[in-house]
Amino acid sequence: MEYIRFDASRASEFVKEYELAALQPAVNAAHATLHGKTGAGADFTGWVDLPLMYDRAEFARVKECAARIREDSDVLIVVGIGGSYLGAKAVIEALCPSFYNIERIAAAKAHAGDRKNGKNRGKGVAVLFAGNSISASYLADLTELIDDLDVSVNVISKSGTTTEPAIAFRVLKAHMEAKYGKAGAAKRIYATTDKARGALRQMATEEGYETFVIPDDVGGRYSVLTPVGLLPVAAAGIDPDKLLAGAGAAHARYIDPDLAKNDCYTYAAARNALLAKGKLIEILVNYEPALHYLTEWWKQLYGESEGKDGKGLFPAGVDFSTDLHSMGQYIQDGRRALFETVLLVDAPIRSLTIAPDAANLDGLNYLAGMDVDYVNKQAAEGTYLAHKDGGVPNLFLHLPALDEYSLGQAIYFFEKACGISGYLLGVNPFNQPGVEAYKKNMFRLLGKPGY
Ligand code: PA5
């Protein structure tokens, strides 16, 4: 099993080694605060030891229910927003083939007649998401799409009261009950929520849904390795054991606060050092469309954790080489207030060789015999050199391969770096008071009682 690798050396002209070393005392203090549970938000640090201390019985039930969903459904609809969907979406997009949902839905529609006798089942269901916007067209299109398919729903909300998923779930619950009857629908609805509080917990109890618990001490954006992420991921056919094994390996590797031995803390220190030098924006860069949602997950993790009290790096994301043709100009040449953290997958996910062409009308024969992945990697190297010359520091995180083990490590790497980084910055990385502001106005405009 190979490890992920962080590399700050290629940004050494922007952050010197001695500048990072100078942060060691602050890193030691942040480490002691996080592990000693003595800092702001300490009640929400259960994720730190989660890869070792998760509820084994609950995890076994997650796998059983995922297997049941794979057997009796064509589609799983995951209803949630923010931390209640981004982790699962990130992992599924990263590890399933590019067009997995199209393939699975097309196969289900083509073999609708076979479904009753269990053909075309078992490997992984299509996983669609709802409740992460308030779009009428999205919900209407979704319910039309699933009309002739067998469906399960996993509704996820830690508070159990969030408006976006509540609206989507009301629509989908009605759809399920019309299709399967009340009792039949209840067997296909899985609720992941707080163990005791909130409207969703109460509804799940009254309706008799299978439920999973989001631990009290794990906030939404740190919850991907709880049933929040693991049930959808396992239903998609991804191995949750390997994901947890990767996170467990990262837990062991990032336990020593010594910056010389801890890549994760070096990342946290480097980004704070760059912020102190006026780099106000961190851009997470990927070179694989499959990693788009890992970036979205990362943006939420860092944006909600650090953007408060007038502080924090602004977390942005780009998909290269796509965005080299849009944001590339700004990154190369605009305000010099940004740095990049580049995700690189070392082993090709798949191989595709460029064939020679006798006519060579497109002039591409100089690439003949090369793998497309090799070309992509030269694009990454060329971009690094250009951006460095343009004054943009580049940090790198290498994933040896795009698999469960690497991704589990990367998830834990970013979570722990975020906790440490937030404490280095002097904020509570585990609350999100700013998210409430829009809700109050919306509720007042909609006439919600009490607003
Ligand atoms: O990270 C967080 O805590 C938030 O982004 C929540 O995940 C998000 O607001 C959804 O909340 P809930 O799960 O309570 O519906």
Side-chain angles (χ1 to χ4, degrees):
M1 295 287 193
E2 286 187 86
Y3 294 125
I4 62 170
R5 181 172 59 85
F6 177 70
D7 179 10
S9 68
R10 301 185 102 190
S12 59
E13 66 192 70
F14 301 96
V15 198
K16 312 272 182 249
E17 244 178 71
Y18 69 82
E19 290 173 311
L20 285 182
L23 285 170
Q24 185 68 66
V27 167
N28 291 344
H31 171 85
T33 303
L34 184 67
H35 281 272
K37 297 187 186 291
T38 55
D43 289 348
F44 291 94
T45 53
W47 55 271
V48 173
D49 293 321
L50 193 70
L52 310 181
M53 319 247 295
Y54 59 92
D55 180 335
R56 261 62 181 179
E58 176 112 325
F59 182 53
R61 214 158 46 80
V62 163
K63 290 196 280 188
E64 274 164 36
C65 289
R68 193 193 311 157
I69 293 167
R70 290 198 302 269
E71 284 307 317
D72 70 10
S73 301
D74 302 310
V75 181
L76 171 68
I77 299 182
V78 178
V79 180
I81 196 165
S84 288
Y85 97 100
L86 280 165
K89 177 89 173 160
V91 174
I92 292 170
E93 292 286 312
L95 299 182
C96 288
S98 304
F99 305 107
Y100 73 99
N101 270 335
I102 295 175
E103 284 171 10
R104 290 174 191 179
I105 289 172
K109 291 204 177 240
H111 300 286
D114 293 341
R115 262 184 265 134
K116 300 280 174 282
N117 48 36
K119 285 189 192 159
N120 185 36
R121 284 281 161 72
K123 216 174 147 225
V125 291
V127 182
L128 302 174
F129 291 83
N132 51 37
S133 70
I134 318 179
S135 164
S137 67
Y138 183 92
L139 268 180
D141 290 347
L142 178 65
T143 46
E144 265 172 40
L145 176 79
I146 61 174
D147 206 30
D148 59 344
L149 297 176
D150 275 327
V151 179
S152 291
V153 172
N154 180 198
V155 53
I156 307 174
S157 176
K158 177 157 176 154
S159 63
T161 55
T162 308
T163 310
E164 290 90 338
I167 292 172
F169 185 58
R170 183 177 277 213
V171 171
L172 288 163
K173 182 173 184 278
H175 174 95
M176 298 290 281
E177 290 178 356
K179 191 184 255 179
Y180 299 110
K182 208 165 167 54
K187 290 199 181 89
R188 291 173 169 271
I189 295 175
Y190 302 83
T192 307
T193 187
D194 184 85
K195 68 176 183 309
R197 284 167 301 189
L200 180 58
R201 166 57 62 184
Q202 200 183 333
M203 191 193 305
T205 307
E206 277 176 27
E207 302 281 12
Y209 303 152
E210 177 97 37
T211 59
F212 295 97
V213 171
I214 309 174
D216 279 346
D217 56 359
V218 179
R221 58 189 175 275
Y222 293 85
S223 69
V224 53
L225 300 173
T226 73
V228 170
L230 296 178
L231 179 61
V233 156
I238 292 163
D239 187 341
D241 283 289
K242 289 187 187 153
L243 205 60
L244 283 169
H251 181 279
R253 290 189 79 215
Y254 307 135
I255 201 81
D256 185 334
D258 184 347
L259 284 170
K261 298 179 190 152
N262 193 322
D263 274 1
C264 171
Y265 289 14
T266 303
Y267 171 54
R271 56 199 302 285
N272 275 277
L274 287 163
L275 175 61
K277 290 177 173 215
K279 303 295 184 190
L280 306 177
I281 300 160
E282 178 179 10
I283 305 176
L284 193 72
V285 176
N286 71 72
Y287 282 85
E288 286 292 343
L291 292 176
H292 174 82
Y293 272 93
L294 189 67
T295 301
E296 294 302 307
W297 169 82
W298 172 90
K299 276 161 58 181
Q300 191 226 356
L301 180 63
Y302 282 81
E304 280 195 353
S305 298
E306 294 196 317
K308 53 196 69 160
D309 309 335
K311 296 180 182 176
L313 280 158
F314 182 81
V318 290
D319 302 322
F320 284 170
S321 66
T322 315
D323 289 332
L324 286 170
H325 300 260
S326 63
M327 298 303 289
Q329 170 61 37
Y330 191 103
I331 296 169
Q332 187 68 44
D333 220 11
R335 280 195 77 179
R336 301 297 71 193
L338 37 91
F339 70 94
E340 293 171 300
T341 297
V342 184
L343 287 175
L344 289 177
V345 181
D346 291 339
I349 304 167
R350 295 193 64 175
S351 277
L352 188 67
T353 305
I354 299 170
D357 183 275
N360 195 29
L361 293 177
D362 53 13
L364 276 187
N365 269 356
Y366 74 102
L367 298 178
M370 290 182 198
D371 198 291
V372 175
D373 188 70
Y374 174 78
V375 177
N376 199 21
K377 288 194 163 67
Q378 302 324 299
E381 183 62 15
T383 304
Y384 154 68
L385 294 169
H387 288 183
K388 178 172 72 93
D389 289 348
V392 181
N394 268 218
L395 307 171
F396 289 87
L397 184 67
H398 289 264
L399 274 57
L402 197 52
D403 58 18
E404 286 96 335
Y405 193 69
S406 290
L407 205 57
Q409 293 179 64
I411 286 168
Y412 191 82
F413 173 94
F414 281 129
E415 286 182 350
K416 194 159 193 203
C418 189
I420 293 293
S421 183
Y423 282 145
L424 287 175
L425 190 65
V427 298
N428 174 354
F430 308 116
N431 66 359
Q432 55 284 330
V435 185
E436 296 308 312
Y438 93 93
K439 293 184 191 168
K440 285 190 189 131
N441 293 335
M442 178 178 74
F443 292 150
R444 199 181 59 247
L445 291 166
L446 289 168
K448 185 173 179 177
Y451 284 85

